[in-house]
Amino acid sequence: MAIVRQTLIYDGPGGPFEGVIAWEDEVETPRPGVLVCPNILGQKESDNRKAEDLAKLGYVALACDVYGQGKRKTRESENVPEYMDALNADRMLLRDRLDASLAALRGFAAVDPAKVAAVGFCFGGKCVFDMARAGLPFLGGVSFHGVYDRPDYANVSPIAAKLLVCHGWEDPLCPPDTMVALGRELTEGQADWQIHAYGNAGHAFTDAGMPMAEGSGFGHEERADRRSWKAMSDFLAELFV
Amino acid sequence: MAIVRQTLIYDGPGGPFEGVIAWEDEVETPRPGVLVCPNILGQKESDNRKAEDLAKLGYVALACDVYGQGKRKTRESENVPEYMDALNADRMLLRDRLDASLAALRGFAAVDPAKVAAVGFCFGGKCVFDMARAGLPFLGGVSFHGVYDRPDYANVSPIAAKLLVCHGWEDPLCPPDTMVALGRELTEGQADWQIHAYGNAGHAFTDAGMPMAEGSGFGHEERADRRSWKAMSDFLAELFV
């Protein structure tokens, strides 16, 4: 068994976009696909590795790009939230770029286009919610320390995508009342949803490269990282039955 | 492989107590033990079956009794909450009876007394929380649609038991603000905790014998039942490593 990865360049509004797709090369039949939605920084090596980890679970995974080819940030960049802010200010454009990313994944030869899911981290978690809210063609998704504010367009009704929300209790971007509001929104939308709230975990609890500074509410939390990945694995297995 | 069950009569304040213990009889070495804490009705056949299901996972499980031998209710009884109400009015007595139940399990020959957990349903979920709050000798526990009001004694600090809280979002006994208050209590207690909230599920979502009446917030919800059992299995596997 070997995991291969390939750069995938695809079109869409404001494109071209550049992502990285990973899969296990010895499987001959189409497999379920998983879109990996990056955090504030945009598609990068840690997303490519998540795609590889999903490939090890038997899926084809695309670390996607909603900023545009060459538009990336690091923690050291000037104006780190620049590209994210632009999409937060235009959620319909974000939706259309997610739709383009989904289409690139669904159109990839090794993918069974009837079995596609999404996972996302931080801003990428918001992307997963927006895909569900907009009724994009995917079965369900997982948000890891996502952000819960609603877009300015109306949700589809019912929300057909199944959702698993992995939530850090100490996340300063999403205090408990925003989590409760999300539960209400998804219930009103008649979605099949779960929220897993992890005590002692903050924002970015999956980010092994960001140590948690005491009291900051930001950074890696090993238990929540491990448990949420297991929960995601169980969720995807159920989704793709 | 065969699962065996045996009636276990044990002492404690207000006893004797009568439970049912189940295990797989072909294993020769001591195994982890799991206390099964019943709902409002007291120990009954559905609890014995949960004990058997836990035995199939490789544990020794005791469907315990905190009411006293012969004190049981059915949904058709007069004054269904009679025995539960008496213990809700005397949480120290409840604690001492849980301690006696734990001692019966830990003293059973097939059990490794260093590896003991508890699971509980409805009032039994409250029992799991009280065991953690009181610092009884167990590693951790799982509450299924438990009840979150605190006892009148102070919690131990820190709370050493790890906790998984399986919560039905539509549970009228535990609306979201009580769930948030529980999260705060466990965080203050420095516990290792998780809450899994299930959309569309109400109180008693694990109770296959109680169909969910539309809008009642009570009764069986197949997805939450299945997912919470899987989460419990993962939790116990992690706890007993």
Side-chain angles (χ1 to χ4, degrees):
Chain A
M1 183 182 97
I3 304 296
V4 291
R5 59 156 92 170
Q6 178 183 309
T7 297
L8 194 69
I9 295 170
Y10 54 96
D11 282 328
F17 300 97
E18 179 177 325
V20 166
I21 192 161
W23 71 99
E24 186 190 305
D25 72 345
E26 291 186 11
V27 181
E28 307 264 322
T29 52
R31 276 141 285 174
V34 182
L35 200 68
V36 177
C37 299
N39 68 8
I40 184 174
L41 303 176
Q43 173 271 339
K44 59 197 163 302
E45 180 56 21
S46 63
D47 300 302
N48 304 344
R49 291 212 188 126
K50 293 285 184 193
E52 289 191 341
D53 290 340
L54 285 158
K56 289 175 192 161
L57 296 178
Y59 309 127
V60 180
L62 171 61
C64 75
D65 171 23
V66 290
Y67 292 165
Q69 202 173 21
K71 291 187 174 168
R72 301 290 185 274
K73 295 284 184 176
T74 70
R75 298 280 171 202
E76 291 70 41
S77 298
E78 282 191 22
N79 195 3
V80 174
E82 179 183 359
Y83 304 132
M84 180 180 79
D85 285 348
L87 290 172
N88 275 332
D90 190 346
R91 299 281 281 272
M92 289 197 199
L93 180 60
L94 174 59
R95 176 195 64 192
D96 294 344
R97 290 182 177 180
L98 290 164
D99 200 23
S101 300
L102 254 188
L105 175 64
R106 296 175 80 228
F108 193 74
V111 172
D112 176 352
K115 290 190 172 177
V116 170
V119 305
F121 303 86
C122 172
F123 174 68
K126 178 187 290 191
C127 292
V128 171
F129 295 124
D130 276 11
M131 290 169 64
R133 288 162 170 147
L136 299 191
F138 76 128
L139 296 179
V142 183
S143 161
F144 298 90
H145 43 84
V147 183
Y148 307 148
D149 60 291
R150 295 175 70 157
D152 50 3
Y153 53 84
N155 291 355
V156 294
S157 181
I159 294 173
K162 297 175 196 288
L163 291 166
L164 169 61
V165 183
C166 297
H167 174 87
W169 191 260
E170 304 295 337
D171 188 335
L173 304 184
C174 299
D177 61 324
T178 68
M179 183 195 78
V180 170
L182 178 71
R184 294 209 172 105
E185 177 192 351
L186 299 176
T187 297
E188 277 173 27
Q190 303 169 57
D192 175 356
W193 66 269
Q194 308 168 62
I195 295 174
H196 292 193
Y198 302 103
N200 315 296
H203 194 73
F205 63 76
T206 65
D207 193 340
M210 187 192 280
M212 194 160 179
E214 182 73 24
S216 73
F218 283 82
H220 189 240
E221 212 284 326
E222 186 275 331
R223 294 171 301 193
D225 186 10
R226 178 167 39 82
R227 291 166 182 171
S228 61
W229 185 264
K230 180 75 172 71
M232 178 210 72
S233 305
D234 290 344
F235 175 86
L236 293 175
E238 181 186 325
L239 193 68
F240 293 139
V241 157
Chain B
M1 184 182 96
I3 304 295
V4 291
R5 60 156 89 171
Q6 177 184 309
T7 299
L8 194 70
I9 296 169
Y10 55 96
D11 283 328
F17 301 97
E18 181 177 324
V20 166
I21 192 161
W23 72 98
E24 188 191 302
D25 72 345
E26 289 184 14
V27 181
E28 308 264 322
T29 50
R31 276 142 285 173
V34 181
L35 201 67
V36 177
C37 299
N39 69 8
I40 184 174
L41 303 175
Q43 173 271 338
K44 58 198 165 303
E45 181 55 22
S46 62
D47 299 302
N48 304 343
R49 291 211 189 126
K50 292 284 184 193
E52 288 190 342
D53 290 340
L54 285 158
K56 289 174 191 162
L57 296 178
Y59 308 129
V60 179
L62 171 60
C64 76
D65 170 24
V66 289
Y67 291 165
Q69 203 173 23
K71 290 186 173 169
R72 299 291 184 276
K73 294 285 184 176
T74 70
R75 298 281 173 199
E76 291 70 42
S77 297
E78 284 192 19
N79 194 3
V80 173
E82 179 183 1
Y83 304 132
M84 181 181 76
D85 285 348
L87 290 172
N88 274 331
D90 190 346
R91 300 281 280 272
M92 289 198 199
L93 180 60
L94 174 58
R95 175 195 66 192
D96 293 344
R97 288 181 179 181
L98 289 163
D99 200 24
S101 300
L102 255 188
L105 175 63
R106 298 176 80 229
F108 193 75
V111 172
D112 175 351
K115 291 189 172 178
V116 170
V119 304
F121 304 86
C122 173
F123 174 68
K126 178 186 291 191
C127 291
V128 171
F129 294 122
D130 276 11
M131 290 168 64
R133 288 161 169 149
L136 300 190
F138 76 129
L139 297 179
V142 183
S143 161
F144 298 91
H145 43 83
V147 183
Y148 306 148
D149 60 290
R150 295 175 71 156
D152 50 3
Y153 53 83
N155 290 354
V156 293
S157 182
I159 293 173
K162 297 174 196 289
L163 291 167
L164 169 62
V165 183
C166 297
H167 174 87
W169 191 259
E170 304 294 336
D171 188 335
L173 304 184
C174 298
D177 62 324
T178 67
M179 185 196 76
V180 170
L182 178 70
R184 294 210 171 104
E185 178 192 351
L186 298 178
T187 298
E188 277 173 28
Q190 302 170 56
D192 174 356
W193 66 268
Q194 306 167 63
I195 295 176
H196 292 192
Y198 301 103
N200 315 296
H203 195 74
F205 62 77
T206 65
D207 192 340
M210 187 191 280
M212 194 159 178
E214 181 74 23
S216 72
F218 283 82
H220 190 240
E221 212 283 326
E222 187 274 331
R223 295 171 300 193
D225 185 9
R226 177 167 40 81
R227 292 166 182 172
S228 62
W229 185 264
K230 180 73 172 71
M232 177 208 73
S233 304
D234 290 344
F235 174 86
L236 293 176
E238 181 186 327
L239 193 68
F240 293 140
V241 157

